[in-house]
Amino acid sequence: MRVLLVGGGGREHAIGEALVRGGAELYVVSKHKNPGLARLAKGYGLAKETDIEKVLEYAEKFGVELAFIGPEAPLERGIVDVLEENGIPAVGPSREAAKLETDKAFARAFMERNEIPGRKVFRVFTDVSEMRSWVDEFGRPVVVKPIGLTGGKGVKVVGYQLRDNEEAKAYAEELIRRDGRVLIEERTDGVEFTLQVFSDGKRILPMPLVQDYPHAYEGDEGPITGGMGSYSCSNGLLPFVTREDYEKALETLKATVEAMRKEGTPYKGILYGQFMLSKDGPVLIEYNARFGDPEAINVLPLLRTSLLEIAEGIVDGNLRKAEFEGKATVVKYLAPKGYPTNPVKGVKVEVNEKAVEEAGARLYYASIDENLTLLGSRAIAVVGIADNLEEAERIAQRAIPHIKGELFYRRDVGTRESVEKRIELMKEFGKEFEPNPC
Ligand code: GLY
């Protein structure tokens, strides 16, 4: 079957690879030519992913029977609606359903009216003085969020990016003046984790849990990025997430899909739940309407079921199974020096793919063009896959010296020390549990 993949990052390289492994004939449209996807694809169109007309033109030219949407920006523009109106079923939510990610005020109000578990106290403000009075009255630390897509930036938390509620009010005022609205939520203390599921609108099938490292520098320091790496465990859980916590997080996503269906906006595609594990259980931090990047790179290489079959199940409303190999994974992203604030661009890097393979790792290309010139965002991901975390981390680490250039990465992603730190943090937050093996 001819399948069009929209998007050209590391996440999409992993999706494209899984589609081809699952029997698809792959075509790609993205704004730059991803060297990994270029090799896998039968046809490649260069266009901005948000230029829906151009994507449709390519879809028709390539004669595809199905599309798979990688990033969120084209979902916000209604790419799935347009492709479907033109007879091309697509994996990804409609514009309305994608609001779970693209409109944070919608997502919170939706959770509230449907009593979805894992809710938070929140308010949306358009008026500066009302916002200021509410924050004063609330008294506890808050999180300030722009309503729309922020590309991972823009969310600010008291105690982290904001010193106190005074700074929170000033930032919220700035957002009201800029966007007309702002979302303010209670801060939840804990450790974050990701649960991704496939959804056909009625049924969901879960993927292994993943933990992302969003900070740019080692020791969880520095600016927030799209994610400098991530790990997953062979049992599909995480060391600090118990089976009971996992079931609760899954219940949040199940209830979400059920309520979306009841509200007449069925959710089809990948639903990504970013959870904060508090001492009282998982709280939903935000929904994403697509695979995570790098989280897709952890789970897709483990997928035993054909991704093409899953994609067909999603669009037909007939999702049956999604089985994963029981292995641990560690993804490390190499990003241009200076990323995310002032990244090096336009210089070439050297990649010895054979040596990476001999090290036992896999490699995924992202923001880098066909002649290996850096484009300014995360450039290349390496993945170690093994029976346990230590071995997976060692494999990923062994691959890194075979990629040379003006790049940096986080040595601590997936190391035992950094995982222990998260377990300790959870205990400090008051959670009593026995850590799972990984
Ligand atoms: N890694 C976070 C995200 O994909 O949004």
Side-chain angles (χ1 to χ4, degrees):
M1 178 184 275
R2 293 171 168 234
V3 181
L4 181 73
L5 172 63
V6 177
R11 162 183 53 208
E12 286 76 22
H13 188 178
I15 296 172
E17 183 191 70
L19 283 169
V20 169
R21 197 169 70 239
E25 188 174 306
L26 187 71
Y27 296 82
V28 181
V29 176
S30 71
K31 65 177 179 304
H32 74 277
K33 203 167 196 179
N34 177 308
L37 284 171
R39 252 177 266 161
L40 291 166
K42 285 264 155 57
Y44 208 118
L46 287 175
K48 271 171 91 172
E49 292 85 356
T50 47
D51 186 347
I52 311 291
E53 273 179 30
K54 199 85 194 147
V55 175
L56 179 62
E57 239 174 67
Y58 276 121
E60 286 173 342
K61 177 178 157 209
F62 294 142
V64 300
E65 297 145 274
L66 184 72
F68 202 119
I69 317 302
E72 61 276 23
L75 295 170
E76 186 182 36
R77 296 278 179 96
I79 192 169
V80 170
D81 312 62
V82 171
L83 288 168
E84 287 185 348
E85 278 158 22
N86 285 276
I88 302 167
V91 177
S94 65
R95 181 187 203 143
E96 270 309 293
K99 277 189 176 170
L100 283 181
E101 172 169 4
T102 62
D103 182 340
K104 293 187 181 69
F106 167 86
R108 283 290 169 216
F110 163 86
M111 287 186 84
E112 202 60 28
R113 69 178 172 268
N114 290 290
E115 298 183 7
I116 306 290
R119 300 192 296 285
K120 266 177 175 244
V121 174
F122 78 98
R123 291 285 183 285
V124 177
F125 294 99
T126 52
D127 182 275
V128 172
S129 62
E130 272 177 35
M131 175 275 291
R132 285 186 168 276
S133 319
W134 185 85
V135 173
D136 287 340
E137 222 169 276
F138 184 65
R140 288 187 280 128
V142 295
V143 180
V144 182
K145 294 183 172 180
I147 305 288
L149 292 178
T150 61
K153 295 159 212 99
V155 172
K156 295 193 181 180
V157 184
V158 168
Y160 297 86
Q161 300 82 7
L162 301 167
R163 205 171 30 224
D164 51 24
N165 275 7
E166 284 309 310
E167 273 195 18
K169 286 186 286 185
Y171 179 52
E173 181 167 342
E174 196 184 308
L175 292 181
I176 292 177
R177 299 206 188 284
R178 191 190 73 188
D179 304 339
R181 287 193 301 167
V182 69
L183 172 65
I184 301 196
E185 299 174 354
E186 66 177 315
R187 187 185 78 191
T188 308
D189 294 327
V191 178
E192 286 187 46
F193 69 93
T194 302
L195 173 57
Q196 304 172 101
V197 298
F198 297 106
S199 170
D200 66 3
K202 301 186 293 283
R203 179 159 190 231
I204 62 171
L205 295 177
M207 307 182 216
L209 295 182
V210 182
Q211 188 171 39
D212 185 17
Y213 286 61
H215 291 270
Y217 313 133
E218 282 164 21
D220 303 317
E221 301 284 345
I224 298 289
T225 70
M228 290 299 293
S230 44
Y231 70 90
S232 67
C233 301
S234 58
N235 59 5
L237 299 172
L238 290 167
F240 56 91
V241 180
T242 63
R243 174 71 51 192
E244 195 191 346
D245 297 323
Y246 167 80
E247 292 298 341
K248 283 186 186 164
L250 193 56
E251 190 44 48
T252 293
L253 299 188
K254 245 187 222 159
T256 300
V257 167
E258 180 60 18
M260 288 295 278
R261 189 178 62 78
K262 283 198 182 131
E263 290 200 349
T265 45
Y267 188 96
K268 290 188 173 193
I270 315 307
L271 181 60
Y272 167 126
Q274 184 71 52
F275 290 92
M276 181 68 83
L277 183 59
S278 75
K279 73 173 178 16
D280 305 317
V283 173
L284 188 102
I285 301 294
E286 60 186 37
Y287 295 109
N288 288 327
R290 34 100 193 152
F291 273 116
D293 189 351
E295 292 93 330
I297 308 175
N298 294 93
V299 298
L300 286 172
L302 302 180
L303 188 60
R304 276 209 191 111
T305 314
S306 150
L307 184 59
L308 179 60
E309 255 172 50
I310 292 175
E312 289 180 285
I314 289 172
V315 298
D316 295 344
N318 188 24
L319 201 48
R320 287 175 196 279
K321 66 168 185 185
E323 288 172 359
F324 293 85
E325 239 181 296
K327 298 271 189 194
T329 65
V330 173
V331 176
K332 298 199 188 214
Y333 248 125
L334 293 110
K337 285 189 178 153
Y339 170 81
T341 42
N342 191 20
V344 171
K345 283 185 209 174
V347 298
K348 278 196 179 194
V349 300
E350 278 173 45
V351 182
N352 185 341
E353 288 189 7
K354 193 158 177 287
V356 170
E357 199 186 316
E358 280 167 8
R362 292 173 180 233
L363 184 147
Y364 295 89
Y365 289 102
S367 178
I368 189 162
D369 73 10
E370 235 193 337
N371 61 18
L372 301 186
T373 299
L374 297 175
L375 298 173
S377 195
R378 294 169 296 174
I380 297 175
V382 293
V383 192
I385 301 174
D387 290 334
N388 60 57
L389 188 70
E390 262 104 345
E391 189 52 22
E393 197 275 333
R394 251 197 306 272
I395 293 171
Q397 197 56 43
R398 270 204 312 253
I400 298 225
H402 306 299
I403 302 164
K404 293 192 172 74
E406 291 196 50
L407 298 161
F408 78 102
Y409 73 100
R410 279 185 62 169
R411 173 72 187 81
D412 61 348
V413 173
T415 57
R416 185 55 64 192
E417 298 86 304
S418 85
V419 173
E420 288 296 334
K421 195 173 122 189
R422 284 155 174 77
I423 293 172
E424 284 315 308
L425 209 56
M426 229 27 259
K427 290 188 174 160
E428 276 168 34
F429 285 127
K431 188 171 169 69
E432 287 174 18
F433 67 107
E434 201 46 55
N436 293 310
C438 184

